[in-house]
Each structure stands twice: as C-alpha cells, then as structure tokens.
C-alpha cells in the first residue's frame, strides 16, 4: 500500500515536471517567434483562453461544485478547488474591493516557474500569462466576463506572485440566430 | 503539482498554434512546422532524461536505453508502459503504443487519421531528446495506421 501511494506520488510529480518543462519550451519558442514581449504575452493569454474553455468542462465533471451565486463564492472555488486540483497549490484570497467585484490570488509558489530565471532582456515578459488566459476562458464558459492579470511576480523580484481578478459583467445568454 | 490533463490541453494548444505559423516558408513548409514541435519535444526530452532516476550509473547498451524509454519515461509522461518494443538488432527499434494518450481523445478508427501526425511530432522530439541525454544520437519518426495505436521508429545513428 505504501509502495502504491509512493508510486502515485512519484508519477504525479513527473507529470507536473512534464507540464512545467513543456511550458518553458513553449515560452522559449514564442520568444523566438515574436520580436517583443508584449506579443508573447498576448499569445500566451490567447492560448490560455483556449485551454480554459476546455478545462472548465473537465473541472465541472470532476468536482462537485455547483453554480456559484456570487464572485466571493467563485473566488473560493478557484483558489481552494481548481488550483488545488490542477496545480497542487492553494492560493490565498486577499484585497477584496468594497463592491466585492475585485480580489487578488496570492501564490506563495508558482509551479510554472520551477527551473526558470528571467533574463534581463525580457523584463516585459509575463512568464505565467497563460494562467490569466485560462482563468478568463474558464469563467467565460460559466457566464462571467472577468479580467485577470499579474500585479506581482516572484520572477520579477516580488515577494509573492499576485493575480488580480476583476469581475466585469455577467454574460447574457446568446440571442437565437435571426433575432436582434 | 500539475495535473496530467494540463499537459494534454497545453500540448493540443501547442499543436494548434505552432503547426500553422511558418516563419521560414519554403519548399519544406510542412517539414518546418513539424520541426518546431519536434524541437520543443527534444528540449523537454533532454530535461526529462536528466531528471528521471536511472537504476544504473550508465547504460552499456542501446537496448537498455530503449527499455528505459518504454518503461520509465512513458510511465512518467503517461502513467503507463509502452505496449511493445521490437528491434532488428542493427540499431532500428519500433516502439508500439496501442492506446497513445495524446490520440485517445481523437477517437478510434480512420476518421481523423490525416490530422494524427501533428500530435506525434512533439513526442518524437521528446524521445530523441531523452536518448541524446543518455548518450545516443537517433532519428525518430512516428506512424499511425488506426487511431489511437501508433508506432515510433527509432534509428540509432552510428557515430
């Protein structure tokens, strides 16, 4: 039994490293393909969005989470269930706005940046920007238009990594074709 | 620790994004696109080859290295072993996976056969990169006759 558990743990760890290493290779390739960091950031966000659109289906199928009734509940699910399920970390939730439409996710450690150093000529690169796209894409599929962006990053020398989440609006159901 | 599904979705997105752009078009346009994915896989394979535990300090024979790929590398990537390994004992090996995880979601049978090679290029590069770390130069190609089974042909280059 302990051997089985150990093998599971090892297997999961290697799977994690495969993702981290693959992501690193992708960022390297995009830095070659595009001339400036802003374009790389946009591309990572776009790819993340496409992943998020699919990931939300996997998440809802695997978790027991029902519909969230407000943004605070959404924050709890993202930090305590989703990040735990996919990245093995539980960010803390801080800095709520008085209106309850903005909060921050604080990541003490970010698995995407294992083995990573940011060279000086890529100061504008948001290395983990894929995560912002994933969050935006996933939440759009549950009718929430949000903005997600990194406001602190340990790769830039900050003490923690912080993703600021802002609720923009609820997305209305699409009108049937032909109606306006 | 990242969940396995994250790699699968990331891989799909890389195929979608990196297959199409052709920064250096020419007669070998298709080849070039495939090379980018293979190049990424090579780099990842090199790193994984360094990180996976080796039971012996150095492999003395090619066959040990290939067995390592079929068992340890595949287990690390896909939580299972390769289904078969064949060789002509002259440096050519065929690795068979009857249910390749990156093809499983495409269905079974011939329906998406023409799209399948895109989803194998990264893994070809990864196998080549891992072998490079272990001290072997190789040429790796893949073929699919019917989803989701595929074969990776490894030809060890004599130095």
């Amino acid at each position: 039994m302990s051997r089985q558990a150990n093998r599971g743990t090892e297997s999961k760890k290697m799977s994690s490293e495969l993702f981290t290493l693959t992501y690193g290779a992708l960022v390297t390739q995009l830095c070659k393909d595009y001339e400036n960091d802003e374009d790389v950031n946009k591309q990572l966000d776009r790819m993340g969005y496409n992943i998020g659109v699919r990931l939300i289906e996997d998440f809802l199928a695997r978790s027991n989470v029902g519909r969230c009734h407000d943004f605070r509940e959404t924050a709890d699910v993202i930090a305590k269930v989703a990040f735990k399920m996919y990245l093995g970390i539980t960010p803390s939730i801080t800095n709520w706005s008085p209106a309850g439409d903005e909060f921050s996710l604080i990541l003490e450690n970010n698995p995407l940046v294992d083995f990573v150093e940011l060279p000086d000529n890529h100061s504008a690169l948001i290395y983990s920007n894929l995560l912002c796209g994933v969050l935006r894409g996933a939440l759009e599929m549950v009718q929430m238009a949000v903005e997600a962006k990194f406001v602190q990053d340990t790769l830039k020398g900050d003490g923690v990594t912080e993703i600021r989440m802002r609720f923009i609006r609820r997305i209305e159901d699409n009108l049937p074709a032909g109606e306006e | 620790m990242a969940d396995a599904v994250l790699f699968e979705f990331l891989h799909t997105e890389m195929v979608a994004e990196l297959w199409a752009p052709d920064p250096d078009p020419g007669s070998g346009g298709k080849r070039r696109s495939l090379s980018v994915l293979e190049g990424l896989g090579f780099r990842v394979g090199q790193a994984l080859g360094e990180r996976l535990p080796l039971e012996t300090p150095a492999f003395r024979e090619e066959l040990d290295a290939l067995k390592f790929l079929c068992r340890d590398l595949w287990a690390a990537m896909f939580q299972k072993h390769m289904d078969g390994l064949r060789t002509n004992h002259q440096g050519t090996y065929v690795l068979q996976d009857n249910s390749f995880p990156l093809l499983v979601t495409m269905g079974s049978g011939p329906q998406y056969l023409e799209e399948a090679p895109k989803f194998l290029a990264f893994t070809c590069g990864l196998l080549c990169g891992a072998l490079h770390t272990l001290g072997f130069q190789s040429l790796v190609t893949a073929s699919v006759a019917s989803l989701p089974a595929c074969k990776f042909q490894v030809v060890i280059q004599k130095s």
Side-chain angles (χ1 to χ4, degrees), chain B residues 98-150:
Chain B
N98 294 329
S99 186
F100 184 57
L102 299 177
L103 295 178
V104 163
T105 52
M106 294 176 74
S108 55
Q111 185 173 5
Y112 297 107
L113 214 50
E114 62 187 68
E115 299 293 317
K118 301 177 184 179
F119 292 86
L120 301 173
F122 178 87
T123 306
C124 287
L126 192 142
L127 291 167
C128 191
L131 283 167
H132 186 267
T133 294
L134 299 173
F136 300 96
Q137 306 301 313
S138 66
L139 185 66
V140 183
T141 56
S143 63
V144 182
S146 181
L147 298 170
C150 73

Side-chain angles (χ1 to χ4, degrees), chain A residues 88-161:
Chain A
I89 59 174
T90 306
S92 50
I93 301 167
T94 63
N95 294 340
W96 276 102
S97 63
D101 63 347
E102 278 191 58
F103 69 91
S104 291
L105 294 163
I106 305 294
L107 287 70
E108 303 289 335
N109 59 298
N110 175 8
L112 263 68
V113 307
D114 289 350
F115 328 123
V116 177
E117 280 182 19
L118 211 57
D120 289 339
N121 59 317
H122 286 290
S123 55
L125 176 69
I126 306 171
Y127 185 85
S128 304
N129 211 35
L130 187 95
L131 288 185
C132 293
V134 171
L135 287 162
R136 189 167 56 84
L139 290 173
E140 188 167 304
M141 293 299 107
V142 291
Q143 278 82 57
M144 282 186 236
V146 302
E147 178 192 67
K149 64 181 181 181
F150 281 91
V151 294
Q152 286 193 83
D153 193 345
T154 52
L155 281 184
K156 306 280 181 73
D158 297 318
V160 294
T161 297

Side-chain angles (χ1 to χ4, degrees), chain A residues 11 14-19 21-22 28-29 43 46-47 50-51 54-55 62 85-88 115, chain B residues 1-7 9-10 13-14 17-18 36 40 43-44 47-48 51-52 76-77 79 122:
Chain A
S11 169
M14 291 311 305
S15 181
S16 174
E17 292 189 341
L18 173 63
F19 175 73
L21 292 167
T22 302
T28 301
Q29 184 62 39
Q43 186 66 7
R46 200 162 75 83
M47 293 176 79
N50 291 337
I51 290 171
R54 301 187 191 105
L55 197 71
R62 286 168 60 178
M85 180 183 290
Y86 292 112
L87 289 175
F115 328 123
Chain B
M1 292 182 290
D3 191 83
V5 78
L6 277 185
F7 168 73
F9 282 145
L10 181 63
E13 201 54 33
M14 288 194 313
E17 289 300 324
L18 298 178
V36 172
L40 266 67
R43 185 186 169 104
V44 173
L48 279 184
R51 306 189 67 77
L52 283 164
M77 286 183 69
Q79 292 81 56
F122 178 87

